[in-house]
Amino acid sequence: MTRPGDRLRVGVLVSGRGSNLQALLDASSRPGYPAEIVVVISDRERAAALDRARTAGVEALVVNPKDFADREAFDLALVSELNARRVGLVCTAGFMRILSAAFTNAFAGRAMNIHPSLLPAFPGLHAQRQALEHGARVSGCTVHFVDSGLDSGPIIAQAAVPVLAGDGVEALAARVLKAEHQVYPLALRLVAEGRARMENGRTVLNLAGASERASSALVAPDLRPLAENLEDLARFTP
Ligand code: GAR
């Protein structure tokens, strides 16, 4: 049973570097943050994210897909590890697997993901490369509830960044990642406080009483670098 004042118990699914996990760990270590990370699960043994979890004193587990007959069995093992730790909400953070209905039904409205594009543009792999190939002038990142599609659930928060002349995949990915690290902790706060929830396949937002900073962060987490970037862009304009 949860008591008033209890923090929401969060499990994070990862596959690699874990910089978004780090942003969530850092946020959850701040006083007053309404969520705590109680377990980090990786599908890859060598994920650097596991070390980040352990350094923060958070339990880190590997659930190896090779140990299971199929995707459903693997997903059910994830569900069972999360339930065993009374996880109320799951954040996927660079978890590079598509979750089946076995998982998404168990955590419907209680799982969120971050993706490095302004969805519904550029779902799937290599989102930043896709943005560059399409000549997008604006990209960014999206936090959304997880459903059984690929990067397709209802959107909770987005942050926009410019695509600058001369950008390669690395430069754009770094700019987007900086925004990810700001917007994911914000979105988790909104969900943990009940200000964002999924209802009938849509996100319902209640921002009454939220600070101006929190509200504007749903669009662009930090306007100053954006303005600086636009000045840089102006230098390329004939
Ligand atoms: C992040 O850019 C995240 O948005 C992306 O993988 C990276 C993980 O970095 N996720 C996806 O592309 C999922 N479709 P991290 O491990 O440092 O957080």
Side-chain angles (χ1 to χ4, degrees):
M1 209 174 86
T2 52
R3 290 181 302 269
D6 277 358
R7 301 206 290 159
L8 180 66
R9 294 173 66 80
V10 173
V12 183
L13 303 184
V14 297
S15 297
R17 175 180 57 184
S19 70
N20 276 291
L21 166 69
Q22 191 66 55
L24 296 177
L25 288 167
D26 292 349
S28 67
S29 73
R30 288 189 197 115
Y33 195 77
E36 67 173 319
I37 295 165
V38 296
V39 65
V40 171
I41 305 180
S42 172
D43 62 332
R44 296 184 194 163
E45 273 170 27
R46 291 167 178 274
L50 292 165
D51 297 325
R52 294 183 190 263
R54 292 186 189 113
T55 302
V58 171
E59 184 187 9
L61 293 181
V62 177
V63 179
N64 191 336
K66 290 194 188 120
D67 295 339
F68 299 90
D70 54 28
R71 204 151 71 94
E72 276 69 29
F74 170 75
D75 285 2
L76 287 172
L78 292 179
V79 170
S80 129
E81 296 291 1
L82 293 161
N83 282 339
R85 288 157 184 86
R86 292 179 292 113
V87 161
L89 182 83
V90 176
C91 290
T92 61
F95 183 64
M96 302 313 272
R97 303 181 67 83
I98 299 171
L99 291 161
S100 67
F103 186 95
T104 55
N105 289 340
F107 279 93
R110 298 192 299 134
M112 52 207 287
N113 175 47
I114 188 154
H115 182 75
S117 75
L118 293 176
L119 291 171
F122 318 135
L125 292 176
H126 310 303
Q128 300 92 340
R129 191 187 304 160
Q130 293 184 60
L132 289 171
E133 282 172 1
H134 279 78
R137 312 318 312 245
V138 177
S139 193
C141 60
T142 302
V143 181
H144 61 95
F145 287 111
V146 173
D147 66 10
S148 53
L150 174 63
D151 301 321
S152 65
I155 292 167
I156 302 163
Q158 292 184 303
V161 304
V163 182
L164 302 181
D167 268 355
V169 171
E170 261 181 41
L172 177 59
R175 195 174 306 118
V176 170
L177 194 65
K178 223 173 135 191
E180 292 184 47
H181 296 162
Q182 296 182 63
V183 88
Y184 210 177
L186 176 96
L188 174 56
R189 172 185 275 279
L190 291 176
V191 173
E193 288 176 344
R195 293 173 191 271
R197 60 180 202 283
M198 191 171 106
E199 231 176 72
N200 302 321
R202 299 272 171 112
T203 298
V204 179
L205 278 181
N206 172 9
L207 296 181
S211 68
E212 198 176 315
R213 184 182 139 86
S215 303
S216 65
L218 289 167
V219 182
D222 190 341
L223 291 173
R224 201 179 43 220
L226 179 60
E228 284 166 12
N229 286 336
L230 286 172
E231 263 174 39
D232 282 344
L233 180 64
R235 287 193 206 116
F236 287 98
T237 310

